[in-house]
Amino acid sequence: MTALAVTAGGRPGTGPGALLALFRAGPPLTRAEVMTVTGLSRSTVNQRIDLLVQSGMIVDRQPDVVLGRGRGRPAGSFTLNTDRGVLLVCDIGATAMRAAVCDVGGEILHDRSVTTDVTLGPTTVLVSTDALFTELLTLAGRSPDEVLGIALSVPGPVDHEQATVVSPPIMTGWDRFDLRGWFEATYSCPLLLEKDATAMAWGEYRSHYPESDTMLMLKLGTGVGAGIIAGGRIHRGADGAAGDIGHTQTFAAGEDGGPVCRCGNTGCVEARAGGWAMIRDLVAQGREISSVDELVDRIRTADPVAVALARTAGRVLGVALAETVSILNPRVIVVGGQLAEAEEQIFAGLREMIYSRSLPLATRRLELHRSRLDERAGSVGLALLLADHIFDPERIDAALLA
């Protein structure tokens, strides 16, 4: 039986928004099935369903009638109208970004990825984002006025409510930039902003680990970040800083300061285990290399220096995660990003440090997996977050019962 959506106070909802949540979460339902699931009266169910049909949010899927079988016309069933509009999402990384146009159920219809440089500032990056969105809408045969929402993710701390980047270590010029204002000229719809690792975490959780309501997502690419799912919800922390392990500081025995990080501090996890730091160390040892993709190729082809750096990076990351594992007690750790492709070397160090330094009870049933969504994890997570926002039961009730 599908659970009803709940109100902010934790009580089951009975408005059209709660019924819409049923149609979003499961297979098509008849009016009789909705009555059974919700316990609502026939007249209430009919009224709520009629409102949702009239608004275009659900559609009546009348079954084919087979002549000579049964009596009368079979009952129609209702389902989410995924053609009602589209969603636009863009997962912006330090050196690349992936944009997608999705249906309102969160399914990706078309996506494109391009290289970028987030340090060039928001205007340069967002001009490219606009171009990708225009291309994707054309592919989907849609216009800007059919876009119901936009969601972006970035490799830095964000104010989720205000949709702004806040004091990012590497995103020059992005601090408090008016992202909503940028898109308002073309699109009349909500805009959400999320940290990249958090978007990835939500995509993996909803797609592959819905039964593991406490999960940690580790993103390893040019930089290092983490997203946290706790109690089946995104955990952003009091000010949105939860999961920023890349800029926590670690020091080796007898070390004074440690390597300088891009954020200006010394000894950060990212300055030891991030893709850019490993490239720095390879170049220092005479290797000609300039991208994380090239770094991954060298690790996978057994370049001894690259392999040694990857194993060391795994141990540094394991040390950084060990206390988090003891405190959060996640059921699953998912590792994504470009460096996840070097899982044989990275995972060995992760496991070694996490299992040796975390509480035994916290690791008893802990699972460590590579991302199953790979490069689409952020896009999938953004699309699902955006669909949840647009179809929030209280928002739907306010629109249809006003």
Side-chain angles (χ1 to χ4, degrees), residues 213-226:
D213 69 351
T214 304
M215 191 190 93
L216 185 68
M217 179 85 205
L218 180 64
K219 181 186 179 183
L220 305 178
T222 303
V224 176

Side-chain angles (χ1 to χ4, degrees), residues 322-323 325-327 329 353-364 366:
E323 288 187 7
V325 168
S326 293
I327 294 170
N329 189 198
M353 294 294 103
I354 289 173
Y355 283 89
S356 65
R357 290 173 174 251
S358 302
L359 295 173
L361 185 60
T363 58
R364 185 178 61 175
L366 178 65

